């Protein structure tokens, strides 16, 4: 303000002197049938022995719907001249009351700071309040879906919206709706490209509102940035002949991607930059789930903006990871045809983004998969270049070492693997990943695995067909071959395949967090593994979250062209991808469902995943 100077943290009013400090203590609480108030006046302001302002007292005022704004607003409760505790007899034990104290000096200067406020019986903020854009392809329209869950003890909530900023009160902005129960409300009065700001105001039966910033969400409706997909005729055995690009997707006329063995990788029409469309970005992610710096996709030893990276630095407080965007998918089977579609925007309510949920069931903008196989660095499972692989541990030890990075870290999870499988089939237009992308380190002539970081300068995709050098897809080394990768969320319990797609219960499972026995997991019906254990997959079960292998009666050149081991007696924890000498059985679909969680082997280990909490949430 023009008439104020900030001196020693005080506002000096030219027409009255120095503003007093905030109240030293100002509280209000129900005691018996009324509100008890404790008010401790601020001390005089004394600088270098000189008294700049003398506190005379404080005006205390009350409202039932919002805080008094100044010493004239609301009902006067008291004017105190000394620190005191007293009962406001004009209140009840069930009412909601907003109090404000306004300390003043002998010169009549008031402090109106918001720090001198307290509320009794204010309603809690919304239990959940979020908004997402939904594109309805059938009508070529967009809408906003608002999920609103009321806190306990309220009568309802007013929801307002604006295009200029968040409504700050129940009368600000435009009225959208008033709810009296948990609901998913659809706002169809929206325009593509316009940002809408929504605020919810829970209220009590006595008319008190919660106006917390926690009750805010915004969204910019859009049709989509892309809509990709493929169809797969399940009965067709040819890995490339069974996959087609349908007319309803943007990639209908795309040239597929493939590795030119002995040369470079050909993206075809899938040549998107890291961070564009569904393509992930390599980065160094801190233990807190924050990107410290992005990596040069063609040389991980360098930062994207130049300079040396921390990719090989074990003292770095985090790991080398691939950052994936939010990817919505729809999967279904009809007439013997498996359909996969993906987009940055849900096309209707049936679309989901299983990889983009944190452990508290909130959607997140990014999830992270490992660049490198896991290494043991000071009893933490790390993703760092130039390290020895951590093997010969059981599942529990691997999990504990992964979680030692922080609450949002775990070993690799099924939902991410299923998504990457579908993206590889889509890009390569084939279910034979070894033929399209590379055999991986898989030759029977190999005697051991290689350590991490051998493909730092190979780009996001690279492979060989010599069975020795390895394969790299979506920036990740050895997605198949080299070593088995233990994967959370996938169990074979006495022949019943059980899955968990999210660490929380968003997927419909009944247990929070993954486990090693499958209790609380979702049961996949009609998926008892059969055929010849150690044979090649020729049949997979379609679910809304992806395809699960069932029968191993194929060959290295037909159907999925990858192997399947199983044991239908006991509790088995999935390992995937294959190891250094598994030959043609290796690949993106290769699965071993015959190892107990207690199994430890020099060919088996794990790698990291990270799903940081949604913005505005906190670790618990």
């Amino acid at each position: 303000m023009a008439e104020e100077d900030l001196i020693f943290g005080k506002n000096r009013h030219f027409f009255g002197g120095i503003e007093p400090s905030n109240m030293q203590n100002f509280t209000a609480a129900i005691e018996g049938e009324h509100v008890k108030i404790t008010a401790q006046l601020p001390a005089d302001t004394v600088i270098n022995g000189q008294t700049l302002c003398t506190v005379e007292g404080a005006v205390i005022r009350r409202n039932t719907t919002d805080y008094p704004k100044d010493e004239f607003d609301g009902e006067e409760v008291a004017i105190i001249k000394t620190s005191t505790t007293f009962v406001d007899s004009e209140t009840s034990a069930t009412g909601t009351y907003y109090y404000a104290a306004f300390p003043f000096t002998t010169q009549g200067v008031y402090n109106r700071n918001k720090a001198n406020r307290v509320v009794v019986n204010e309603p809690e903020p919304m239990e959940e309040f979020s908004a997402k854009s939904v594109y309805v392809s059938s009508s070529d329209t967009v809408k906003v879906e608002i999920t609103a869950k009321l806190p306990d003890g309220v009568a309802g909530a007013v929801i307002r919206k604006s295009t200029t900023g968040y409504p700050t009160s129940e009368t600000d902005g435009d009225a959208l709706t008033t709810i009296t129960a948990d609901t998913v409300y659809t706002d169809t009065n929206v325009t593509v490209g316009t940002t809408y700001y929504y605020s919810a105001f829970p209220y009590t039966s006595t008319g008190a509102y919660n106006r917390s910033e926690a009750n805010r969400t915004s969204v910019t409706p859009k049709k989509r940035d892309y809509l990709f997909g493929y169809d797969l005729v399940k009965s067709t055995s040819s890995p490339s002949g069974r996959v087609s690009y349908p007319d309803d997707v943007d990639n209908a006329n795309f040239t597929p991607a493939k590795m030119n063995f002995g040369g470079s990788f050909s993206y075809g029409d899938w040549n998107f930059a890291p961070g564009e469309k569904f393509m992930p970005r390599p980065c160094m992610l801190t233990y807190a789930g924050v990107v410290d710096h992005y990596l040069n996709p063609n040389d991980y030893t360098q930062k994207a903006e130049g300079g040396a990276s921390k990719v090989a630095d074990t003292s770095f407080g985090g790991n080398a990871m691939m950052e994936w965007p939010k990817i919505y998918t729809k999967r279904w089977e009809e007439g013997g045809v498996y359909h996969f579609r993906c987009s940055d925007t849900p096309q209707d309510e049936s679309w989901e983004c299983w990889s983009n949920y944190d452990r508290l069931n909130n959607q997140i903008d990014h999830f992270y998969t490992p660049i490198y196989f896991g290494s043991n660095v000071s009893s933490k499972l790390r993703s760092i270049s130039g390290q020895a692989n951590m093997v010969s541990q059981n599942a529990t030890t691997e999990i504990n070492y992964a979680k030692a990075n922080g609450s949002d870290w775990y070993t690799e999870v099924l939902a991410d693997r299923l998504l990457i499988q579908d993206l590889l089939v889509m890009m390569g237009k084939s279910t034979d990943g070894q033929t399209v992308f590379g055999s991986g380190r898989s030759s029977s002539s190999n005697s051991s695995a290689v350590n991490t970081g051998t493909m730092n300068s190979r780009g996001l995709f690279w492979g060989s067909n010599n069975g020795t050098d390895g394969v790299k897809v979506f920036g990740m080394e050895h997605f198949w071959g080299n070593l088995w990768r233990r994967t959370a969320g996938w169990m074979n319990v006495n022949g019943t395949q059980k899955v968990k797609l999210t660490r929380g219960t968003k997927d419909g499972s009944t247990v929070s967090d993954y486990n090693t026995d499958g209790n609380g997991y979702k049961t996949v019906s009609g998926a008892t593994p059969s055929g010849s254990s150690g044979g090649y997959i020729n049949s997979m079960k379609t679910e809304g979250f992806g395809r699960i292998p069932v029968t191993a009666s194929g060959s290295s050149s037909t159907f999925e062209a990858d192997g399947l081991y199983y044991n239908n007696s006991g509790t088995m924890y999935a390992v995937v991808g294959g190891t250094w000498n598994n030959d043609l059985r290796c690949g993106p679909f290769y699965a071993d469902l015959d190892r107990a969680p207690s199994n430890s082997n020099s060919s088996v280990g794990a790698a990291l995943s990270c799903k940081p909490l949604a913005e505005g949430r906190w670790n618990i």
Side-chain angles (χ1 to χ4, degrees), residues 171-501:
T171 59
D172 190 21
D174 298 320
L176 186 64
T177 187
T178 297
I179 64 172
T180 56
D182 296 347
T183 188
V184 176
Y185 181 82
T186 300
D187 183 6
T188 58
N189 186 23
V190 295
T191 302
V192 171
T194 299
T195 300
Y196 294 90
Y197 301 89
Y198 298 93
S199 296
F201 302 97
Y203 61 87
T204 66
S205 58
T206 58
Y209 288 83
N210 181 299
R211 303 178 180 90
S212 168
E213 293 183 4
N215 306 320
R216 295 177 177 181
T217 186
S218 64
V219 66
T220 304
K222 62 178 181 178
K223 290 185 177 180
R224 64 172 186 252
D225 185 41
Y226 67 87
L227 173 60
F228 296 140
Y230 71 89
D231 290 346
L232 183 155
V233 179
K234 295 182 66 177
S235 62
T236 300
S237 62
S238 168
S240 59
R242 64 203 308 236
V243 181
S244 63
Y245 293 157
D247 293 336
D248 66 311
V249 294
D250 298 340
N251 58 293
N253 298 309
F254 272 26
T255 298
K258 66 177 182 178
M259 181 65 202
N260 297 312
F261 297 113
S264 60
F265 185 78
S266 172
Y267 281 87
D269 288 317
W270 298 99
N271 192 19
F272 305 124
E276 183 183 6
K277 310 299 185 189
F278 57 79
M279 205 64 73
R281 300 178 68 182
C283 68
M284 297 303 294
L285 188 72
T286 68
Y287 293 140
V290 178
V291 173
D292 184 83
H293 57 274
Y294 291 100
L295 304 175
N296 181 334
N298 297 310
D299 182 0
Y300 287 172
T301 66
Q302 298 293 306
K303 295 180 180 179
E305 68 272 19
S309 76
K310 297 289 187 178
V311 74
D313 186 355
T314 57
S315 67
F316 173 77
N319 295 285
M321 306 293 286
M322 297 303 300
E323 179 186 71
W324 293 79
K326 186 179 289 186
I327 302 173
Y328 288 93
T329 61
K330 182 174 182 178
R331 299 161 164 117
W332 75 102
E333 184 178 320
E334 187 175 12
V337 179
Y338 172 73
H339 304 273
F340 171 78
R341 302 291 185 270
C342 64
S343 178
D344 62 311
T345 305
Q347 308 301 287
D348 57 45
E349 292 82 354
S350 65
W351 288 59
E352 260 297 355
C353 51
W354 292 120
S355 290
N356 292 90
Y357 283 100
D358 66 16
R359 55 191 166 85
L360 301 181
N361 299 325
N362 301 299
Q363 279 193 16
I364 53 178
D365 291 333
H366 298 98
F367 68 97
Y368 297 86
T369 60
I371 289 177
Y372 306 111
F373 196 83
S375 302
N376 180 0
V377 180
S378 301
S379 298
K380 285 183 180 179
L381 188 68
R382 302 290 301 280
S383 174
I384 297 289
S385 178
Q387 300 298 304
N389 304 299
M390 189 182 87
V391 294
S392 301
Q393 303 292 334
N394 60 36
T396 299
T397 298
E398 293 166 354
I399 292 166
N400 288 339
Y401 280 20
K403 293 167 74 172
N405 289 275
S407 300
D408 301 325
W409 296 80
Y410 211 86
T411 58
E412 289 178 292
V413 298
L414 175 63
D416 299 352
R417 184 119 191 147
L418 294 178
L419 175 62
I420 293 170
Q421 286 174 352
D422 272 322
L423 294 177
L424 289 171
V425 172
M426 182 177 72
M427 286 182 62
K429 207 175 183 181
S430 172
T431 52
D432 186 351
Q434 282 187 301
T435 296
V436 175
F437 297 99
S439 60
R441 184 172 174 81
S442 59
S443 172
S444 58
S445 63
N446 296 324
S447 59
S448 63
V450 295
N451 289 343
T452 65
T454 61
M455 289 181 272
N456 282 340
S457 59
R458 296 295 192 179
L460 294 188
F461 291 84
W462 186 85
S464 72
N465 56 2
N466 62 17
T468 301
D469 295 331
V471 66
K472 190 177 184 184
V473 296
F474 293 113
M476 299 179 292
E477 288 187 351
H478 306 298
F479 194 68
W480 56 86
N482 201 48
L483 287 166
W484 287 106
R485 308 165 79 102
R486 195 126 39 191
T487 300
W490 189 7
M491 307 286 297
N492 179 26
V493 182
N494 296 317
T496 297
Q497 295 200 56
K498 295 187 173 185
V499 300
K500 184 170 172 60
L501 284 307

Side-chain angles (χ1 to χ4, degrees), residues 529-605:
S530 61
S532 300
S533 179
Y536 292 87
I537 300 168
N538 71 312
S539 167
M540 300 187 77
K541 176 71 185 302
T542 298
E543 295 288 333
F545 50 79
R547 294 192 299 146
I548 297 293
V550 176
T551 309
S553 299
S555 72
S556 63
S557 60
T558 59
F559 298 102
E560 275 62 44
D562 293 344
L564 172 64
Y565 283 90
Y566 63 88
N567 182 347
N568 293 337
S569 298
T571 299
M572 309 300 161
Y573 196 107
V575 296
V576 298
T579 190
W580 64 77
N581 60 358
N582 285 157
D583 282 323
L584 296 177
R585 289 183 180 84
C586 289
F589 296 102
Y590 192 14
D592 186 338
L593 301 177
D594 73 347
R595 294 180 188 265
S598 59
N599 174 265
S600 61
N601 191 285
S602 61
S603 64
V604 177

